[in-house]
């Protein structure tokens, strides 16, 4: 394993909050980043989840498994369905099981015991347009996965029995999609669940946020100002710190250096969004995550520009890690990031 050290310049940003008529001072919660490699393999990983001292992953060529974060043994498995080798893009968990879901048709959703010994197919769906992007659980019984439209609305499937059975919500119960509106399986972050609330982000020719306050029973749709209008534009990733504060990134995949119109923020639970960080920092990004315990001030992103960090709610950004092959990241704790991408899983320690 190889360690790399990057220093963060101790610059302070001052923001004037006119609503409360006082200044808020922002400052970084760390001074440097140290990185080491946990896995090197011929696998492209966009689905990553933290389970205690393990980081579970699922990716290309039907591969899935975990890497130990405490020096224990790693585990790897492969799933092949008949002659199909799945491209897994979504992962979720309950206290007893891991769930992985591929992109493309047929959709194959597997329930895997946390010892890795049992993998069972619990849902499948065929169709020319079937393409699932993201999956999350509310608790040990209720979960949701979302994907591209197949019949006039975003595909949403739910479970109420711990992932044993899944049902698709009919389009009558979901907002209708616009022409060219879909989603991107970039980092398993199109679907965000926080405090029982649900957000789904879309992209393409139309890029919106779909919100449900009741675990998918009712929905409302909200427009966003992120760049959109062509097939590879819009929101690629979102995260919510709490029920009010959220951030989304993406941009134009075909113009990856473009760093305008690619970052948006909400402070009212996704009802309204504003552009943030215009012409600052990274271009296209595939993943964004809030730093836990940061009061919604600190954010990290991953993408082909590298790893970027903001400690002033996304107004300013600094590159803190040079790797341009990482697609997704998650926090193992407030000072540890696990990131994955093309052929690797790495750990970043915030010092």
């Amino acid at each position: 394993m190889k360690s790399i050290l990057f220093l963060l310049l101790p610059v302070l940003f001052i923001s004037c909050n006119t609503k409360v008529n006082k200044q808020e001072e922002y400052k970084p919660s760390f001074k440097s980043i140290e990185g080491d490699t946990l896995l090197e393999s011929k696998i492209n990983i966009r689905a990553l989840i933290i389970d205690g001292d393990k980081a579970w992953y699922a990716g290309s060529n039907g591969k899935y498994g975990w890497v130990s974060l405490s020096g224990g043994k790693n585990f790897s498995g492969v799933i092949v369905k008949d002659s199909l080798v799945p491209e897994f893009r979504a992962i979720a968990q309950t206290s007893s099981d891991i769930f992985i879901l591929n992109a493309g048709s047929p959709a194959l959703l597997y329930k895997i015991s946390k010892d890795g010994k049992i993998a069972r197919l619990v849902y499948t769906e065929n169709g020319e347009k079937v393409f699932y992007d993201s999956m999350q659980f509310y608790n040990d019984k209720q979960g949701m996965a979302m994907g591209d439209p197949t019949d006039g609305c975003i595909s949403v499937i739910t479970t109420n029995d711990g992932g044993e059975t899944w049902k698709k919500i009919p389009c009558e119960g979901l907002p209708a999609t616009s022409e060219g509106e879909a989603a991107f399986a970039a980092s398993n972050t199109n679907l965000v669940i926080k405090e029982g609330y649900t957000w789904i982000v879309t992209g393409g020719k139309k890029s919106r946020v779909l919100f449900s306050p009741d675990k998918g029973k009712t929905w409302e749709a909200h427009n966003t100002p992120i760049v959109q209008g062509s097939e590879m534009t819009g929101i690629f990733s979102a995260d919510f710190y709490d029920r009010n504060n959220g951030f989304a990134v993406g941009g134009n995949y075909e113009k990856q250096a473009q760093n305008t119109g690619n970052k948006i923020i909400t402070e009212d639970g996704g009802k309204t969004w504003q552009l943030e960080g215009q012409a600052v920092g990274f271009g296209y990004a595939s993943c964004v995550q809030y730093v836990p315990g940061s009061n919604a001030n600190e954010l990290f992103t991953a993408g082909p520009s590298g790893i970027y960090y903001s400690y002033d709610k996304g107004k300013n950004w600094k590159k803190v890690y040079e790797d341009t092959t990482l697609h997704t990241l998650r926090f193992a704790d407030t000072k540890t990031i696990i990131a994955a991408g093309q052929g690797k899983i790495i750990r970043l320690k915030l010092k």
Side-chain angles (χ1 to χ4, degrees):
M1 295 190 293
K2 183 179 181 181
S3 295
I4 306 173
L5 193 66
F6 288 85
L7 297 179
L8 186 69
L9 295 177
V11 179
L12 298 183
F13 295 116
I14 306 295
S15 173
C16 181
N17 187 331
T18 57
K19 293 181 180 179
V20 296
N21 196 31
K22 68 176 183 179
Q23 287 188 329
E24 184 175 3
E25 184 179 278
Y26 301 107
K27 58 183 179 180
S29 59
F30 63 96
K31 294 182 178 180
S32 64
I33 293 182
E34 185 178 301
D36 67 295
T37 301
L38 300 175
L39 176 72
E40 289 183 300
S41 176
K42 292 181 179 180
I43 179 175
N44 189 21
I45 301 170
R46 294 181 181 269
L48 183 68
I49 198 167
I50 308 301
D51 177 37
D53 68 344
K54 298 174 181 176
W56 279 84
Y57 63 90
S60 59
N61 301 317
K63 295 181 179 180
Y64 69 96
W66 77 67
V67 293
S68 173
L69 305 181
S70 59
K73 291 183 178 180
N74 295 343
F75 166 80
S76 62
V78 178
I79 289 176
V80 177
K81 175 66 172 174
D82 300 325
S83 59
L84 176 66
V85 181
E87 175 89 11
F88 291 113
R89 297 287 186 93
I91 191 168
Q93 67 174 322
T94 62
S95 60
S96 58
D97 299 284
I98 298 291
F99 297 82
I100 60 176
L101 175 60
N102 70 312
S105 180
L108 303 171
L109 200 167
Y110 285 88
K111 181 177 183 179
I112 302 169
S113 59
K114 286 199 174 181
D115 60 8
K117 294 180 179 179
I118 301 173
R120 292 190 295 111
L121 182 65
V122 292
Y123 179 81
T124 186
E125 182 180 342
N126 288 277
E128 182 182 353
K129 298 180 180 179
V130 171
F131 195 99
Y132 280 90
D133 303 288
S134 187
M135 177 169 51
Q136 303 288 337
F137 270 79
Y138 298 93
N139 49 50
D140 279 349
K141 292 296 184 181
Q142 297 170 292
M144 179 182 290
M146 61 76 61
D148 287 359
T150 58
D151 190 24
C153 68
I154 290 292
S155 297
V156 179
I157 59 174
T158 61
T159 180
N160 291 300
D161 59 7
E164 282 295 311
T165 60
W166 297 75
K167 294 181 179 180
K168 194 167 187 177
I169 297 178
C171 280
E172 290 77 8
L174 287 159
T177 49
S178 300
E179 181 180 355
E181 182 180 14
F184 301 109
S187 59
N188 192 37
T189 49
N190 306 86
L191 169 63
V192 183
I193 288 172
K194 184 72 67 173
E195 301 176 16
Y197 291 83
T198 311
W199 296 267
I200 289 174
V201 296
T202 69
K205 294 183 178 180
K206 186 75 171 179
S207 186
R208 300 184 296 170
V209 174
L210 312 184
F211 170 70
S212 173
D214 49 18
K215 300 178 182 178
K217 294 178 183 178
T218 62
W219 295 86
E220 53 192 56
H222 302 292
N223 293 325
T224 75
I226 202 165
V227 60
Q228 54 199 279
S230 59
E231 185 177 353
M232 299 303 293
T233 59
I235 302 173
F236 281 72
S237 173
D239 192 26
F240 274 78
Y241 185 84
D242 52 32
R243 67 178 63 183
N244 294 315
N245 293 283
F247 205 91
V249 300
N252 188 335
Y253 187 81
E254 296 175 319
K255 298 179 181 179
Q256 295 188 0
Q258 180 179 315
N259 64 355
T260 57
N262 65 326
K263 318 171 193 74
I264 57 174
I265 189 171
T266 180
E267 294 180 338
D268 60 8
K271 293 181 177 63
T272 61
W273 296 80
Q274 294 79 42
L275 288 169
E276 194 61 276
Q278 286 285 75
V280 173
F282 57 91
Y284 158 76
S286 59
C287 186
V288 63
Q289 293 285 281
Y290 277 102
V291 178
S294 68
N295 196 33
N297 292 337
E298 297 177 80
L299 295 150
F300 274 84
T301 64
S305 300
I307 302 291
Y308 276 77
Y309 168 66
S310 172
Y311 51 87
D312 62 347
K313 298 182 182 290
K315 294 178 178 63
N316 292 277
W317 294 86
K318 179 178 176 61
K319 183 186 288 190
V320 293
Y321 203 76
E322 290 286 349
D323 197 321
T324 60
T325 66
L326 299 168
H327 304 312
T328 188
L329 59 87
R330 297 294 185 277
F331 277 85
D333 55 52
T334 58
K335 296 294 184 180
T336 308
I337 298 172
I338 308 301
Q342 188 64 49
K344 72 184 72 171
I345 298 176
I346 68 169
R347 172 171 48 200
L348 301 176
K349 284 285 191 179
L350 310 183
K351 301 289 189 175

